[in-house]
Amino acid sequence: MTETEAVARMRSLFEWWMAPENPLPVALADKFEFDSGLGTMSADDWLWWVRQNPGWEAVRVLGLVASSTGGSIVFGATDPVTNLRHRISWLVMWNEATLTRILQTGATLPEETELD
């Protein structure tokens, strides 16, 4: 996989996360894990959780890098329910065509903090 293809894969995963009613653009490994630091979810649990999310507002990608084995994306967003601002990062790992793991970290930002 080229760097351009890897970046495109990261972007398509992120775009799906923002509109999960669309088909997931990547295959999940049999033992896929999503780790938020609070716990680990299996593929089925993660898909259900993402689809329950009411969405985010003012989403801004702050950085994205990718390679043949995975990538990282950092973004800012506002939770429309609480109106709290968040900075979230994903470390994404894949093996060939399958997504194997996402490690998510995040922070809630003070109200006056810009998302960039």
Side-chain angles (χ1 to χ4, degrees), residues 29-72:
D30 290 338
K31 297 193 180 209
F32 169 83
E33 292 182 339
F34 175 83
D35 186 347
S36 67
L38 300 174
T40 302
M41 292 182 219
S42 67
D44 289 341
D45 292 341
W46 180 66
L47 291 171
W48 178 88
W49 179 72
V50 169
R51 290 180 175 133
Q52 303 314 304
N53 189 329
W56 294 87
E57 295 176 348
V59 177
R60 180 180 279 156
V61 174
L62 305 173
L64 185 148
V65 295
S67 72
S68 62
T69 58
S72 180

Side-chain angles (χ1 to χ4, degrees), residues 1 3 5-11 13 63-74 89-95 99-104:
M1 172 184 319
E3 182 179 338
E5 292 168 331
V7 167
R9 179 181 284 182
M10 285 291 293
R11 285 191 186 281
L13 177 63
L64 185 148
V65 295
S67 72
S68 62
T69 58
S72 180
I73 187 168
V74 178
S89 67
W90 286 353
L91 177 60
V92 178
M93 291 155 258
W94 53 68
N95 184 2
L99 189 60
T100 57
R101 185 165 196 246
I102 298 175
L103 173 61
Q104 177 178 289

